[in-house]
Amino acid sequence: MKKAVVLLSGGLDSTTCMAVAKNEGYELYPISFDYNQRHKRELALAKKIADYYGAEGHKIISMENVGGSALTDMSIDVPAYKGDHQIPITYVPARNILFLSYALGYAEVIGAEAIVIGVSAVDYSGYPDCRPEFIEAFQKVVDVGTAAGVEGKSIKIITPLIHLSKAETIELGHQLGAPYHLTTSCYNGEEEACRVCDSCVLRLKGFEEAKLEDPIVYK
């Protein structure tokens, strides 16, 4: 069976990616990251999601906290949603570069054909590492910087949500039976989601536009 490494945060988008990869016949090898994020409860949920799909070899990678973000520095408050596309203080420096690099190494080790990541160029909160330009550039790195790439068996970076709105993502996951009840999105990382951070606002708006009920608990 073909294999895919899925970047699994425990959030809505990455869980949708698990559903998409499963539906496309991949054997799932999720990888999650402990980077001292404020919302660390997502890691426990990522494990539940991996178990839900009977995934193989779920890895949780511990990384040094480099700071510089409201998600990793407890002295910086998580801001309320502003609705613009300025790069927000919740941006974690070079996060997706680091995540994809780890995932790429794992993919080479297990002989995976693909890496699946849930970036979106539509509802992306202004993060530069969620844009098509970044994915295209990283694919070039894969092609020229790995044994698989130079041997003509390059690992494909798959972005099934790249052109979808949050509502379209939710509709897709709902059709595929994604376990959204096991997910979390809130940047504050509490048991009850805050409703006001970027991630909560985009999630709630997405469920409303999709005309579906969000199964998680909010304040």
Side-chain angles (χ1 to χ4, degrees):
M1 180 182 289
K2 59 184 182 178
K3 300 176 182 177
V5 174
V6 183
L7 276 74
L8 177 63
S9 69
L12 185 148
D13 294 338
S14 64
T15 302
T16 305
C17 285
M18 289 282 282
V20 170
K22 182 74 171 179
N23 186 63
E24 293 183 359
Y26 285 100
E27 188 173 15
L28 306 178
Y29 288 79
I31 186 170
S32 306
F33 297 89
D34 181 351
Y35 55 102
N36 200 37
Q37 61 267 49
R38 183 188 298 264
H39 49 307
K40 191 172 290 191
R41 69 183 294 265
E42 69 179 3
L43 293 174
L45 294 173
K47 185 178 186 308
K48 290 182 179 180
I49 294 160
D51 290 344
Y52 178 91
Y53 281 106
E56 299 288 341
H58 180 211
K59 286 190 176 295
I60 298 179
I61 305 296
S62 293
M63 299 170 58
E64 184 72 22
N65 172 26
V66 296
S69 169
L71 299 191
T72 59
D73 187 338
M74 297 303 172
S75 69
I76 304 174
D77 292 335
V78 174
Y81 178 71
K82 293 181 180 178
D84 57 37
H85 277 165
Q86 298 298 313
I87 298 175
I89 194 60
T90 51
Y91 164 69
V92 179
R95 180 172 62 179
N96 282 346
I97 296 173
L98 296 169
F99 287 3
L100 280 170
S101 296
Y102 272 99
L104 178 57
Y106 186 32
E108 277 212 287
V109 168
I110 65 173
E113 293 90 341
I115 297 169
V116 187
I117 181 171
V119 294
S120 170
V122 181
D123 289 331
Y124 71 115
S125 296
Y127 298 148
D129 54 359
C130 289
R131 300 172 303 152
E133 299 95 319
F134 166 70
I135 297 299
E136 291 165 8
F138 198 90
Q139 184 68 63
K140 290 179 181 177
V141 171
V142 176
D143 295 343
V144 303
T146 64
V150 299
E151 291 172 355
K153 299 176 289 186
S154 192
I155 298 160
K156 177 68 174 175
I157 308 296
I158 298 176
T159 56
L161 315 182
I162 194 77
H163 298 301
L164 301 186
S165 68
K166 193 66 71 179
E168 290 168 333
T169 294
I170 291 166
E171 288 168 354
L172 174 61
H174 180 71
Q175 291 167 8
L176 297 176
Y180 287 148
H181 64 288
L182 297 178
T183 66
T184 183
S185 296
C186 183
Y187 286 154
N188 283 292
E190 297 177 5
E191 194 73 28
E192 295 182 349
C194 73
R195 289 186 177 271
V196 297
C197 71
D198 279 18
S199 191
C200 278
V201 170
L202 290 173
R203 177 177 176 135
L204 284 166
K205 180 172 175 283
F207 271 98
E208 181 180 1
E209 291 176 354
K211 295 181 172 55
L212 294 168
E213 182 178 351
D214 189 345
I216 70 170
V217 178
Y218 289 84
K219 291 183 178 178

